[in-house]
Structure formats: C-alpha cells, structure tokens
Amino acid sequence: MAYENVLLEKEDRIAILSINRPKALNALNNDTLVEIDKAVDEIKADDSIDVVIVTGAGDKAFVAGADIAFMQNLTAMEARAFGALGQAAFRKLEAMEKPSIAAVNGFALGGGCELAMACDFRVASTSAKFGQPEVGLGITPGFGGTQRLPRLVGPGMAKQMLYTADIIDANEALRIGLVNSVVAPEELMDFVKKIAKRIISKAPVAVRLSKAAANEGLQVDIDRSMTIEADAFGLCFATTDQKEGMGAFVEKRKPQFTGK
Ligand code: DAK
C-alpha cells in the first residue's frame, strides 16, 4: 500500500521502516501511527521478509515524540483514543514473530523512545538522544514508556528518567542498557543490516520461537517461563531446519536453512 508518513523499503529479506516526517523531526501524529500499524501488518504478512529495521528519515531525528501540536487541543477522550492507537501499533510491532531492530539515528524522545523500546533491541548512532520528556509537558508517557523503560533499564534509572524528563546521550543509553551498541552516524545502517543478516542466516523458526519465548517468559513466573521454553525447544524438533542444523554440524558443513 502507499504511505505518506512512513517509508517501507524491502531488500535482502530485510524491511526498513522509516518514520518520514523530517520537517517535524518525525513526530508521531494520528496518521503516522495508523501507517505504522498498517506497515507492521504488511511486514507480518510478507513471506519475503525476516527482519525489520525501524529508523527515522533524515539525519536529525529517529522520532522526536508524539506530535505536540496535534495533541495540544485533544479532549480527554480523544487523547485516550490517541494513546490506545499508539499502544496498539507498538504492541503489534513488539509481539510480531519477526525480529525488529531500532536504528536510532537522532532524537528518540517520548513516543520516539517508546517506539525504539517496542523493538527487540536498539543500536544508536553517536548523535542519538533518548528521554521521556512528558512530565515537562504536563502529561505522562502514553505509548508504553512507563512500562517498557523500567523493564529495560530497571526501576530506579527508569523512574529518574520519567520524573526528571532528562535527556541522555547515546553513551549513557549504552551504559544503562537501553541500547546494545553505539556507532558513528554514517555506519549505523550498515552496522544494523549486518546484525539483521546474521539473524537471517539462522533458522527462521528457531529465531521466531526464541523471540516468542523471551517475550512471553518476561510476563510470567519462572516456572511457567521454563515450560514456555521447553515447548519452544520441543517444537523445533518438528522442523526440517533442526534436522538440517544438527546434520550440518555433524557432517562439518554449513547449514542450508529453509524456514520449514
Ligand atoms: N511534536 C511536534 N513537532 C515537533 C516535535 C514534536 N514532538 N518535535 C519537534 N517538532 C518540530 C518543531 O516544532 C519544529 O517545527 P517548525 O517550528 O520548524 O515548524 C521542527 O520539528 C524542528 O524542531 P526544533 O526547531 O525544535 O529543533 P531543535 O533542534 O531546536 O530541537 C528538539 C530539537 C527535539 C530538542 C525539540 O524539537 C524538542 O524538544 N521537541 C519536543 C520533544 C518532546 O518533548 N518530545 C516528547 C513529546 S510528548 C499519550 C500519548 C502519547 C504520549 C503521551 C501520552 N496519551 C494519549 C496518554 C507521548 C507523548 C510524547 O511523545
């Protein structure tokens, strides 16, 4: 489908979803959230895609937040609907079977930090900045920030960021575990594509079951989570790729995975 506020490119089994409103630093208005939701549906349904990279168009911002001009005069019910729209789109991205990587190329504030956190992991350029500035605008985060940030960086650091609205740089984000790596801006996309290609070279069903087990396991107690893991492990033995992966190891050759 045609998009106006996002770009969806596909190459070598990788989808690159770029939020594309550079004049507003890729701020998220209603239409942009609807398009993110639709793009995730498209990626989910496309058998030619194994991994999605989420980034921001232009060289200044990943996403500078929810669109403040759009939100300014919302009624309480409109704001609630706007929050629910963003939550649903980000949850769809987080819960889909295919892995997602945020390539954070600049400001990732408010809804932008929340979008990055809905991805499986984050790589930042040295120019990236992270924060949840909402309390400085008289609101709380509304697209999952109060929930995903504590899970990612621990409650103490998350609460400091949520209460102060401080903006942190890429190295601090690395230190607290919000991002996995920091690279030069001109190297960011190649670096992230190389990670995506390493994921794609592995058995797709096993990768997807690993994601599902990690995600679901984080929501339940340790005993239930071990059952989830055991089920995923067992299911792999119904795949051709398990036979290929183990056969290739024993025969000392490279495996040829088919995703079956
Ligand atoms: N919304 C709308 N426009 C934005 C924007 C944003 N978040 N961020 C930047 N822009 C626009 C600016 O207005 C400016 O537009 P023009 O004036 O050129 O028309 C253009 O992008 C360039 O921005 P600046 O001129 O300000 O650029 P600077 O380099 O000077 O500053 C900045 C960059 C990122 C530090 C600054 O733009 C800034 O502070 N932006 C706002 C960052 C922010 O506060 N983000 C968090 C937004 S709040 C909820 C649902 C959702 C949310 C919460 C609740 N519920 C329904 C419960 C989410 C909330 C948020 O994300």
Side-chain angles (χ1 to χ4, degrees):
M1 81 162 256
Y3 301 100
E4 285 181 15
N5 302 286
V6 304
L7 296 170
L8 184 56
E9 300 157 277
K10 299 175 186 179
E11 56 177 56
D12 302 332
R13 307 198 67 78
I14 301 170
I16 301 175
L17 175 61
S18 305
I19 313 308
N20 187 30
R21 298 183 67 219
K23 283 188 184 147
L25 301 187
N26 303 324
L28 302 170
N29 59 11
N30 203 78
D31 290 349
T32 308
L33 290 172
V34 168
E35 289 189 11
I36 291 172
D37 191 87
K38 289 210 164 83
V40 173
D41 279 337
E42 183 177 334
I43 292 162
K44 280 173 69 173
D46 189 338
D47 290 338
S48 76
I49 296 301
D50 284 324
V51 175
V52 55
I53 297 171
V54 180
T55 193
D59 54 12
K60 202 167 162 186
F62 175 74
V63 166
D67 190 316
I68 299 168
F70 172 83
M71 289 191 293
Q72 186 182 6
N73 295 315
L74 294 182
T75 64
M77 289 313 287
E78 287 167 344
R80 191 175 192 286
F82 183 61
L85 177 67
Q87 283 181 344
F90 291 8
R91 183 73 184 123
K92 190 180 280 185
L93 172 66
E94 180 177 52
M96 78 169 171
E97 285 188 314
K98 300 174 187 183
S100 56
I101 311 170
V104 184
N105 56 318
F107 290 110
L109 304 178
C113 190
E114 291 167 310
L115 175 60
M117 290 192 293
C119 294
D120 288 314
F121 56 90
R122 291 141 291 285
V123 176
S125 82
T126 49
S127 64
K129 301 257 190 291
F130 297 82
Q132 298 288 159
E134 285 88 345
V135 293
L137 296 164
I139 57 174
T140 55
F143 297 153
T146 61
Q147 304 308 308
R148 291 194 181 98
L149 192 58
R151 285 167 167 80
L152 276 170
V153 305
M157 186 54 73
K159 286 173 179 173
Q160 184 175 332
M161 288 178 69
L162 291 166
Y163 304 167
T164 62
D166 284 348
I167 290 173
I168 61 170
D169 65 15
N171 284 329
E172 177 67 355
L174 181 66
R175 192 186 72 78
I176 66 174
L178 186 53
V179 304
N180 289 4
S181 312
V182 177
V183 298
E186 62 277 12
E187 291 168 13
L188 180 65
M189 281 313 281
D190 276 352
F191 186 92
V192 175
K193 281 182 193 173
K194 278 186 189 145
I195 299 175
K197 284 178 184 161
R198 292 209 298 282
I199 296 171
I200 290 165
S201 73
K202 307 303 178 198
V205 176
V207 168
R208 292 173 193 187
L209 287 173
S210 296
K211 170 171 176 166
N215 276 2
E216 287 169 33
L218 282 169
Q219 311 301 324
V220 298
D221 65 80
I222 189 75
D223 290 324
R224 172 71 195 126
S225 74
M226 289 300 163
T227 305
I228 291 168
E229 183 179 80
D231 288 347
F233 182 73
L235 203 50
C236 291
F237 286 73
T239 66
T240 310
D241 282 347
Q242 174 268 328
K243 288 162 190 53
E244 171 63 11
M246 293 192 170
F249 177 82
V250 170
E251 292 159 23
K252 299 192 186 305
R253 61 174 175 82
K254 240 183 135 196
Q256 299 292 327
F257 293 121
T258 57
K260 295 196 168 81

